[in-house]
Amino acid sequence: MKYLFTFFIVFFLSLSVFAQNERPKLVVGVVVDQMRYDYLTRYYDKYGDGGFKRLINEGYNCKNNHFNYIPTKTGPGHASIFTGTTPKYHGIIGNDWFDKDQKKNVYCARDSNLESIGTENEAGKMSPHRMLASTFADENRLFTQMRGKSIGISLKDRGAVFPAGHAANAAYWFDFENNGSGNWVTSSFYMKALPKWVTNFNASDATEKYFIEWNTLYDINTYAESGSDLNNFERIFEGKTTATFPYDLQKLKRDNGNFEIIVESPYGNSLTTDFVIKAIDAEGLGKDDITDVLTISYSSTDKVGHDFGPNSIEIEDTYLRLDLDLERLLKALDDKVGEGEYTVFLTADHGASHVPNYLKSNHIPSGLFDESKMFDEMNAFLEEQFKVSGLILSRINSQIFLNHKKIISNNLDLKEIKEFLALELLKYKLIDKVYVTSDINQFIGSHGYVETLLENGHNQKRSGDLMFVYTPEVFKDTKWNRTGTDHHSGFMYDTHVPLLFFGKGIKKGQTFKKTEITDIAPTMSALLGISFPNAAIGQPLDFVFDE
């Protein structure tokens, strides 16, 4: 027994030494916003050898990777990837949701108590305060006594804030919305003033140089993986008469949000890569044996996807150009951190459907649903049944929020109202399923694939009283969904996304074994030998490790 005890002590000590020696100097988490899995395979032959193909051929490809909750949106996606859990536990139940206390919609990252740093508008008033769980970057900060850095970078604030975590050194995002300043900015949550390297970047022409013509990278006639350039399924920018190449961004900027036109082109990803490479140098990431974490979210893929859809030449060209940016990023990591000294994973925050009207033109069932009309009709229905007006406060994220104060003051039965409403909602052709919660807002439903995803996405304090599920390829009827595409569902086009691991500690290989988005953070934690994020439910994917 004594010798067995000694063996285990030596064994675990050797594991600890092995883990410390083998930890990468830098972990880079890359999220490609709105990347369907088939963008890897559809454009594979056109990719170069140094970007996506390098990650695939030299790393580990999890080909059957899925989101395991509803709704599949950007805020929840980034939070789930880096916390290893779902909205049920981390609390980011949408990009926006109805706050039951404030009786209004709130934005996932908005923090009005903070100051904007780098801009005079409110674009910098963001923090991870609504995210209830830690990220693996947080755990790395704790493990290293705050010596390991954590920095998040994205065009979108929520794509920078949530991945970097609560204890991050910095998160930077691009001020482009509402005719923003065109600066990379942050908030007083992280610092009192921008570092000199960021102010220098903002003062340079690094952004303005992308007010150029966007034409196809290759001969447009070779884009056989996409549909015709001229069609009726894509957004037309103000100042153009058709959604066709080329796009003169300098000419279009005035009528299309100024700096926003860069974000809605592939050059937004190039700008992000420029800033990331500058950050690696300026922040000294990966320069010592204490592991740093860098999170990158490429947002222009989402913007172009929403505008033009998965069958467009625009989205294909955006991915071919992103491939070149990934090659540039990997070369920079080789040079600045050292080849074989860093670890990368690449995934997406959600997928996307084909454009509903494009599917209809090919006789595939799809549609748009008027949620505003439904909201008015359901309130009228409840008023007729219960003689009280305004019993529904909000409909958002395919959820219904009831006015509990009115229900109580009028001595109405909450359960009865929910059941009446559910039956009425089911009468709509494009609504396939409706689920109600218990009196204390616990999800209740039969067991099944969709039901599990709904439960994982349901937060007892923050989610609504009823949830409804559309039939496949159906979205709410909005101006931006009549051309281009959207996402939010638990169907395969929204849940199936890439998952690639590459670099130190990762072996070459591939699998069709099902993996889930919540497995990524535990896998990174296991690689680093640190605690898992505090609310993680995923499992380490040990088969990706180089033994």
Side-chain angles (χ1 to χ4, degrees), residues 163-184:
H166 301 274
N169 299 83
Y172 300 106
W173 52 94
F174 189 55
D175 178 20
F176 66 90
E177 293 184 306
N178 303 311
N179 283 296
S181 64
N183 286 339
W184 287 89

Side-chain angles (χ1 to χ4, degrees), residues 43-59 218 319-320 322-328 330-331 334 339 342 500 502:
Y43 310 139
Y44 184 85
D45 290 341
K46 280 193 168 68
Y47 290 142
D49 292 329
F52 284 115
K53 280 186 178 178
R54 182 180 177 190
L55 296 176
I56 293 169
N57 296 331
E58 297 180 26
Y218 307 114
Y319 274 89
L320 298 182
L322 176 59
D323 184 56
L324 298 179
D325 282 315
L326 288 174
E327 180 175 1
R328 188 158 61 100
L330 293 174
K331 284 182 177 178
D334 288 343
E339 190 170 357
Y342 61 89
L500 306 174
F502 168 87

Side-chain angles (χ1 to χ4, degrees), residues 102-320:
Q102 299 183 54
K103 299 294 188 293
K104 66 177 183 179
N105 287 354
V106 295
Y107 175 61
C108 60
R110 172 68 63 184
D111 193 338
S112 58
N113 295 317
L114 301 174
E115 298 299 323
S116 294
I117 306 296
T119 183
E120 294 181 357
N121 62 45
E122 304 229 324
K125 293 186 175 184
M126 306 291 168
S127 83
H129 74 289
R130 288 192 170 97
M131 184 170 68
L132 306 175
S134 68
T135 67
F136 81 81
D138 286 328
E139 297 301 331
N140 186 63
R141 292 274 286 157
L142 293 170
F143 182 85
T144 62
Q145 297 300 310
M146 301 296 166
R147 293 192 294 268
K149 287 188 175 182
S150 173
I151 294 178
I153 295 171
S154 174
L155 295 174
K156 294 181 181 179
D157 49 67
R158 57 189 180 270
V161 165
F162 295 136
H166 301 274
N169 299 83
Y172 300 106
W173 52 94
F174 189 55
D175 178 20
F176 66 90
E177 293 184 306
N178 303 311
N179 283 296
S181 64
N183 286 339
W184 287 89
V185 303
T186 189
S187 84
S188 56
F189 180 84
Y190 303 100
M191 60 191 72
K192 294 181 179 179
L194 289 176
K196 185 66 174 175
W197 71 267
V198 179
T199 58
N200 288 344
F201 191 97
N202 287 336
S204 72
D205 67 348
T207 299
E208 285 78 2
K209 73 180 181 183
Y210 289 115
F211 283 128
I212 55 177
E213 181 180 86
W214 174 22
N215 211 336
T216 52
L217 188 62
Y218 307 114
D219 183 344
I220 195 169
N221 295 310
T222 67
Y223 284 61
E225 299 78 12
S226 301
S228 61
D229 191 28
L230 180 62
N231 59 72
N232 298 320
F233 312 118
E234 301 172 5
R235 174 191 172 189
I236 301 173
F237 286 130
E238 296 293 328
K240 281 183 68 71
T241 57
T242 59
T244 55
F245 285 98
Y247 296 89
D248 186 338
L249 303 192
Q250 178 67 34
K251 183 178 178 181
L252 292 171
K253 70 178 184 179
R254 179 178 176 181
D255 295 326
N256 294 276
N258 200 19
F259 291 103
E260 189 162 1
I261 197 68
I262 294 176
V263 177
E264 296 191 354
S265 80
Y267 300 129
N269 292 331
S270 300
L271 174 63
T272 302
T273 307
D274 295 343
F275 190 77
V276 164
I277 292 173
K278 183 65 70 173
I280 294 170
D281 263 340
E283 298 288 348
L285 298 178
K287 291 300 185 184
D288 56 33
D289 292 331
I290 301 174
T291 302
D292 298 321
V293 176
L294 171 64
T295 72
I296 308 166
S297 180
Y298 284 109
S299 305
S300 287
T301 44
D302 182 73
K303 291 291 188 178
V304 176
H306 278 294
D307 287 343
F308 301 101
N311 204 50
S312 66
I313 293 176
E314 285 84 353
I315 199 67
E316 178 174 355
D317 195 68
T318 297
Y319 274 89
L320 298 182

Side-chain angles (χ1 to χ4, degrees), residues 287-521:
K287 291 300 185 184
D288 56 33
D289 292 331
I290 301 174
T291 302
D292 298 321
V293 176
L294 171 64
T295 72
I296 308 166
S297 180
Y298 284 109
S299 305
S300 287
T301 44
D302 182 73
K303 291 291 188 178
V304 176
H306 278 294
D307 287 343
F308 301 101
N311 204 50
S312 66
I313 293 176
E314 285 84 353
I315 199 67
E316 178 174 355
D317 195 68
T318 297
Y319 274 89
L320 298 182
R321 290 177 181 274
L322 176 59
D323 184 56
L324 298 179
D325 282 315
L326 288 174
E327 180 175 1
R328 188 158 61 100
L329 172 64
L330 293 174
K331 284 182 177 178
L333 291 169
D334 288 343
D335 294 341
K336 299 174 187 301
V337 181
E339 190 170 357
E341 294 296 335
Y342 61 89
T343 304
V344 175
F345 70 81
L346 182 146
T347 189
D349 57 346
H350 53 75
S353 167
H354 276 286
V355 179
N357 286 328
Y358 169 70
L359 294 173
K360 278 186 176 180
S361 73
N362 287 283
H363 311 293
I364 296 174
S366 61
L368 297 173
F369 181 81
D370 191 338
E371 287 190 7
S372 296
K373 182 181 178 184
M374 177 269 286
F375 178 83
D376 293 337
E377 289 175 346
M378 290 301 97
N379 252 330
F381 164 74
L382 290 178
E383 183 174 0
E384 180 181 347
Q385 293 293 319
F386 298 98
K387 312 306 177 187
V388 179
S389 63
L391 287 176
I392 301 176
L393 288 173
S394 178
R395 49 94 191 160
I396 187 171
N397 300 322
S398 299
Q399 298 176 30
I400 301 291
F401 291 78
L402 295 173
N403 191 329
H404 287 237
K405 185 176 180 179
K406 274 194 174 183
I407 291 171
I408 293 171
S409 64
N410 285 277
N411 295 315
L412 299 177
D413 188 308
L414 177 62
K415 182 179 180 182
E416 182 183 6
I417 291 173
K418 290 181 181 181
E419 290 176 351
F420 266 111
L421 193 55
L423 289 171
E424 197 68 14
L425 285 169
L426 279 171
K427 293 178 182 179
Y428 287 100
K429 181 180 178 181
L430 297 181
I431 292 181
D432 186 50
K433 295 176 176 63
V434 180
Y435 300 91
V436 300
T437 63
S438 69
D439 288 344
I440 59 168
N441 203 33
Q442 286 275 29
F443 178 83
I444 51 177
S446 56
H447 294 290
Y449 176 77
V450 171
E451 290 78 10
T452 297
L453 269 61
L454 284 167
E455 184 175 3
N456 287 340
H458 182 269
N459 183 276
Q460 188 177 8
K461 283 191 172 184
R462 295 179 177 178
S463 295
D465 297 281
L466 289 91
M467 290 153 280
F468 56 90
V469 177
Y470 292 126
T471 55
E473 314 280 5
V474 171
F475 296 98
K476 65 181 178 181
D477 187 5
T478 60
K479 180 181 178 181
W480 57 87
N481 280 342
R482 291 167 195 164
T483 54
T485 191
D486 207 347
H487 49 85
H488 74 261
S489 78
F491 295 111
M492 293 295 164
Y493 49 79
D494 279 341
T495 68
H496 190 194
V497 297
L499 177 55
L500 306 174
F501 293 96
F502 168 87
K504 189 164 190 175
I506 305 298
K507 69 181 179 184
K508 300 177 185 179
Q510 60 183 23
T511 185
F512 279 107
K513 178 181 179 180
K514 186 173 183 180
T515 58
E516 295 183 330
I517 212 73
T518 49
D519 296 330
I520 297 172

